[in-house]
């Protein structure tokens, strides 16, 4: 089946990036959120990021304008049900995701493919609560979506081949590359990346290094584009903690225990860039390490 329109649920960090790349690739996009303010902010951010691509001569002004014209925002989830492919990119909480798919259910076309951008929650479990587990998949983008090359495609136990093929075609049309992952906690990227970040937090917690030396060590010593603590702030410390908990619960191995210091930062509401404070303080002109 050919995908022409895409519904994106959740206009946050990931949702706005997904709407951006889908519109640029020629899909008609319905972007949905429960808050008008989130939709307005998303459109402003997509416009800024498209402008940046125009100024770097990655796209033309005409491509920017047609992409923006393809994005329709809506507070009404039923409008998303009319699309060919839905990408759910709401808060990383399983109860929230179940509620979204439940409220979307009655408005879906028979052939609509459902996907979730979840970074770690079981696709099989999310799918089992819908009326179409065979048309349900994980469609996991990396942040920042317009820049990162990879999309993880995760099949649930019931996902059928035409659904996988349709999603793979979308990934290719986006000019991105798909990695297939089996449906086990946190899939591939986060199974490896988030324990590394958690280990960096342990390294900080145990006083092996401070924020600056840990990040510098991994940037210059392992050629990572960002240090692990800077990256944790970028991803969101609440998201990192949630993924560690999914690994810990789902794989029942103590090697995945979240670092108490990560928990403490989250308890403080220091969630990284989005709250202006995490392992760095972003309130001034330059980020300042908090330890
Ligand atoms: N939209 C459009 N373009 C963007 C952008 C955005 N949101 N953000 C950055 N860019 C573009 C810039 O315009 C720039 O383009 P050119 O190459 O044409 O100049 C390019 O990306 C690089 O950006 P900058 O020069 O501003 O900054 P940088 O060189 O420091 O790179 C970065 C920024 C791409 C984010 C880089 O630091 C990086 O790759 N960091 C690691 C990111 C990462 O690991 N992401 C995965 C997180 S894990 C995840 O997402 C999974 C999960 O479930 C948690």
């Amino acid at each position: 089946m050919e995908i022409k329109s895409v519904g994106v649920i959740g206009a946050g960090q990931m949702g706005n990036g997904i709407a951006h790349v889908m519109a640029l690739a020629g899909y008609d996009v319905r972007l949905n959120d429960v808050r008008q303010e989130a939709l307005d902010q998303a459109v402003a951010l997509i416009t800024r990021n498209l402008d940046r691509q125009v100024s770097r001569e990655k796209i033309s002004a005409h491509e920017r304008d047609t992409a923006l014209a393809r994005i329709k925002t809506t507070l009404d989830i039923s409008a998303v049900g009319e699309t060919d492919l839905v990408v759910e990119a709401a808060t990383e909480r399983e109860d929230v995701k179940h509620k979204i798919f439940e409220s979307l259910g009655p408005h879906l076309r028979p052939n609509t493919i459902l996907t979730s951008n979840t970074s770690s929650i079981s696709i099989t479990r999310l799918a089992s609560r819908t009326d179409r587990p065979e048309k349900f998949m994980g469609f996991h983008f990396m942040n920042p979506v317009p820049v990162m090359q990879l999309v993880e495609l995760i099949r649930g136990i019931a996902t059928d081949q035409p659904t996988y093929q349709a999603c793979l075609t979308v990934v290719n049309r986006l000019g991105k590359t798909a990695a297939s992952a089996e449906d086990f906690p946190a899939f591939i990227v986060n199974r490896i990346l988030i324990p590394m970040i958690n280990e960096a937090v342990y390294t900080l917690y145990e006083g092996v290094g401070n924020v600056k030396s840990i990040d510098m060590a991994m940037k210059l010593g392992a050629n990572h584009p960002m240090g692990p603590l800077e990256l944790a702030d970028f991803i969101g410390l609440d998201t990192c903690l949630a993924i560690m908990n999914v690994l810990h619960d789902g794989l029942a191995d103590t090697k995945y225990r979240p670092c108490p210091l990560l928990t403490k930062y989250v308890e403080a509401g220091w969630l990284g860039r989005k709250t202006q404070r995490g392992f760095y303080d972003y309130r001034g002109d330059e980020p300042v390490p908090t330890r």
Side-chain angles (χ1 to χ4, degrees):
M1 107 176 239
E2 201 199 342
I3 308 286
K4 291 192 174 142
S5 56
V6 177
V8 180
I9 301 176
Q13 184 165 268
M14 297 307 286
N16 81 67
I18 297 167
H20 171 142
V21 296
M22 291 290 186
L24 209 47
Y27 295 104
D28 289 322
V29 176
R30 300 264 167 89
L31 178 60
N32 162 260
D33 201 285
V34 286
R35 289 184 310 119
Q36 184 61 43
E37 196 193 356
L39 291 172
D40 295 343
Q41 278 170 0
V43 171
L45 193 58
I46 293 168
T47 308
R48 265 210 315 277
N49 285 332
L50 285 167
D51 283 343
R52 168 152 57 166
Q53 287 174 300
V54 173
S55 67
R56 309 232 180 178
E57 296 180 358
K58 296 256 152 118
I59 60 170
S60 68
H62 176 70
E63 284 171 303
R64 172 197 59 202
D65 297 342
T66 41
L68 276 173
R70 287 192 192 106
I71 302 174
K72 306 261 179 299
T73 60
T74 175
L75 290 169
D76 178 8
I77 201 161
S78 66
V80 174
E82 292 155 19
T83 58
D84 302 322
L85 168 72
V86 174
V87 185
E88 173 277 316
T91 310
E92 189 65 354
R93 275 184 32 208
E94 191 163 339
D95 55 335
V96 172
K97 294 185 189 292
H98 283 310
K99 279 209 187 94
I100 286 171
F101 286 119
E102 239 163 59
S103 58
L104 184 62
H107 310 289
L108 285 173
R109 283 188 192 159
N111 284 333
T112 300
I113 292 176
L114 293 179
T115 68
S116 173
N117 180 57
T118 177
S119 47
S120 59
I121 297 169
S122 162
I123 297 302
T124 302
R125 216 161 51 228
L126 289 175
S128 71
R129 300 267 292 263
T130 71
D131 66 347
R132 58 194 70 197
E134 67 291 346
K135 288 195 185 329
F136 195 107
M137 284 202 44
F139 207 125
H140 183 215
F141 288 86
M142 309 296 133
N143 187 22
V145 178
V147 181
M148 302 298 284
Q149 189 57 38
L150 186 80
V151 177
E152 272 182 301
L153 289 182
I154 306 108
R155 272 181 269 223
I157 203 163
T159 310
D160 65 21
Q161 188 58 20
T163 299
Y164 177 80
Q165 200 51 52
C167 290
L168 186 59
T169 304
V170 173
V171 174
N172 291 338
R173 184 157 155 199
L174 296 176
K176 296 194 186 287
T177 304
S180 291
E182 293 300 319
D183 184 24
F184 289 99
F187 321 127
I188 297 173
V189 171
N190 286 332
R191 169 81 176 259
I192 298 168
L193 183 66
I194 304 298
M196 182 202 70
I197 287 175
N198 192 51
E199 199 59 32
V201 185
Y202 267 112
T203 312
L204 179 66
Y205 177 61
E206 292 170 7
V208 182
N210 60 23
V211 169
K212 202 171 159 211
S213 57
I214 292 166
D215 275 350
M216 192 174 26
M218 293 307 287
K219 268 163 77 171
L220 302 185
N223 252 2
H224 289 190
M226 286 178 170
L229 300 172
E230 188 189 357
L231 182 58
D233 279 356
F234 182 66
I235 293 169
L237 304 194
D238 51 342
T239 303
C240 293
L241 180 60
I243 296 170
M244 282 314 293
N245 281 325
V246 165
L247 284 167
H248 197 223
D249 296 345
L251 298 168
D253 189 330
T254 54
K255 77 176 174 182
Y256 297 113
R257 65 203 184 285
C259 178
L261 186 61
L262 179 61
T263 307
K264 198 183 285 292
Y265 269 75
V266 172
E267 282 169 354
W270 293 15
L271 307 181
R273 282 194 194 205
K274 62 186 166 191
T275 57
Q276 302 235 299
R277 232 185 316 184
F279 293 111
Y280 293 84
D281 187 334
Y282 299 92
R283 291 172 299 172
D285 290 341
E286 290 287 318
V288 179
T290 53
R291 270 170 186 257

